Amino acid sequence: MKHRTWPRASSSPFSSIPFSNSTISPANSGRTTRLCARPPPPPPCGDFSALPYDVLAKIAASFDDPNLRAASLVCRAWCEALRPLREAMVLLRWGKRFKHGRRGVRPNSDKALDSFMKAAARGSALAMVDAGLIYWERGEKPKAVELYLKAAELGNLSAQCNLGISYLQADPPNTKQAFKWLSKASVCGNVRAQYQLALCLHRGGENIHGNMKEAAKWYMKAAEGGYVRAMYNVSLCFSFGEGLPRNHQLARKWMKRAADRGHSKAQFEHGLALFSEGDMMKAVVYLELATRAGEKGAAHVKNAVLHRLSSASRDHAMHLADSWRALPSS
């Protein structure tokens, strides 16, 4: 009798090891039957080359040069699809050289704009933002907004932030669209957008309900991300108990952080706090920094403090102010 090792149909739930329903005859009872399971099929693997070129171009529109080069190495299809964006990166670099006068190139805003527009035509959202900035500086705001919108729709966070601010500064302001784009950029971590969104929530206005608690939340996010103006506002929130619980220690902490990063009002107020605590030397340093940054009220207080210091202490304080350098921020 011929036995079937793999029956065509089986009632066993263990389909990976289908047992035969046939009965082993006495003549074959001494044989050893090997039960073999078929190896499971390999897991499905995405075919990167199958991604449509236009979809890939939109995804990579905001890539910087290193990320673009890395993506181009994934497969031949990606390398070919991303060729226009790699060309755009070359044009973008030339645009920045013409704009800022780098590497022996004289500043020329017309040539910079031409390079940025050529790069934008190849799909670079980064170039769209740079071209938009030049148009905005020239007063051609509709052209700037058009470029910001195109880059924003491609997911560029700087464009989304700039677009939101542009809507706020329009005449009349379009607060609904401003809030929409600032929210998009804020959720994705753009600290400048987070600060601007906090200001909108702080002030309230047409189509925006004032919400100090929500505003303080976004001030804090921006401050933690290194945005200096937000650090100053967080200090005020803690100082007055607006949106955050009143906390003098945290207010001082954030005020000093803003002052150490060059915020002139924070330097003035931190200097006043040090003066009230009797730390004259440090107070003079911060008040001098605030005076140099244009805070008029700081000069009067600084001069009053200087009269209490010895000549050597005054010279040392001025030396500290001269050698002071702002800490890096976002």
Side-chain angles (χ1 to χ4, degrees):
M1 181 178 179
K2 189 174 181 180
H3 298 280
R4 290 181 298 161
T5 307
W6 300 104
R8 292 181 181 175
S10 173
S11 60
S12 171
F14 302 100
S15 57
S16 62
I17 311 178
F19 294 96
S20 172
N21 291 328
S22 304
T23 305
I24 300 175
S25 65
N28 297 328
S29 59
R31 295 180 183 176
T32 303
T33 304
R34 296 183 63 185
L35 301 176
C36 301
R38 289 177 181 173
C45 181
D47 184 3
F48 292 116
S49 63
L51 193 65
Y53 278 20
D54 59 334
V55 174
L56 180 59
K58 288 180 180 180
I59 294 172
S62 292
F63 282 10
D64 57 14
D65 195 44
N67 286 327
L68 194 59
R69 290 181 180 276
S72 299
L73 296 174
V74 171
C75 62
R76 184 175 297 177
W78 280 32
C79 183
E80 183 62 29
L82 296 174
R83 185 189 301 277
L85 284 173
R86 292 198 302 275
E87 295 172 355
M89 284 296 106
V90 177
L91 291 163
L92 184 64
R93 285 196 294 271
W94 274 105
K96 290 185 180 296
R97 289 178 190 176
F98 284 124
K99 182 177 181 180
H100 303 291
R102 295 174 180 169
R103 297 188 179 183
V105 177
R106 292 182 180 180
N108 188 318
S109 63
D110 290 331
K111 289 185 177 180
L113 180 59
D114 182 62
S115 293
F116 290 146
M117 290 302 293
K118 287 178 179 178
R122 287 165 170 78
S124 172
L126 301 177
M128 295 173 197
V129 174
D130 280 323
L133 287 171
I134 292 180
Y135 277 126
W136 188 270
E137 291 167 359
R138 292 181 173 184
E140 300 181 63
K141 295 184 178 182
K143 291 183 179 179
V145 170
E146 182 181 353
L147 287 163
Y148 290 155
L149 178 59
K150 189 173 181 180
E153 290 173 341
L154 289 170
N156 185 277
L157 301 184
S158 295
Q160 291 172 353
C161 178
N162 288 0
L163 184 61
I165 294 172
S166 299
Y167 283 131
L168 286 176
Q169 295 180 3
D171 187 17
N174 189 336
T175 53
K176 185 177 181 180
Q177 285 296 314
F179 192 82
K180 168 190 169 180
W181 288 108
L182 289 174
S183 297
K184 282 179 177 287
S186 296
V187 169
C188 292
N190 185 283
V191 293
R192 184 166 173 245
Q194 290 170 346
Y195 174 73
Q196 291 293 333
L197 181 63
L199 285 178
C200 290
L201 291 164
H202 189 163
R203 296 167 179 168
E206 187 179 356
N207 297 320
I208 299 177
H209 297 290
N211 187 330
M212 195 59 217
K213 188 174 182 179
E214 191 72 7
K217 182 189 82 171
W218 288 111
Y219 281 142
M220 179 61 78
K221 284 183 179 292
E224 291 173 341
Y227 202 74
V228 179
R229 293 181 182 180
M231 294 178 189
Y232 177 74
N233 285 17
V234 165
S235 174
L236 296 181
C237 288
F238 277 122
S239 181
F240 297 110
E242 294 188 6
L244 293 169
R246 182 170 293 182
N247 188 314
H248 177 71
Q249 187 175 4
L250 289 175
R252 288 294 305 276
K253 168 189 168 182
W254 284 106
M255 189 66 74
K256 185 179 186 304
R257 285 189 176 184
D260 288 341
R261 286 159 180 80
H263 194 287
S264 61
K265 288 185 178 180
Q267 289 170 341
F268 184 14
E269 295 191 30
H270 186 57
L272 289 175
L274 291 168
F275 171 63
S276 66
E277 293 172 353
D279 195 339
M280 301 300 177
M281 181 69 71
K282 288 184 180 179
V284 167
V285 173
Y286 281 98
L287 291 169
E288 173 65 16
L289 293 173
T291 301
R292 294 179 184 183
E295 293 295 327
K296 296 180 180 179
H300 176 73
V301 182
K302 179 201 69 175
N303 292 332
V305 178
L306 282 174
H307 287 301
R308 302 188 181 189
L309 298 178
S310 65
S311 177
S313 296
R314 288 197 296 268
D315 291 341
H316 182 58
M318 292 301 105
H319 173 72
L320 291 175
D322 291 336
S323 59
W324 178 86
R325 295 293 180 273
L327 294 176
S329 58
S330 66

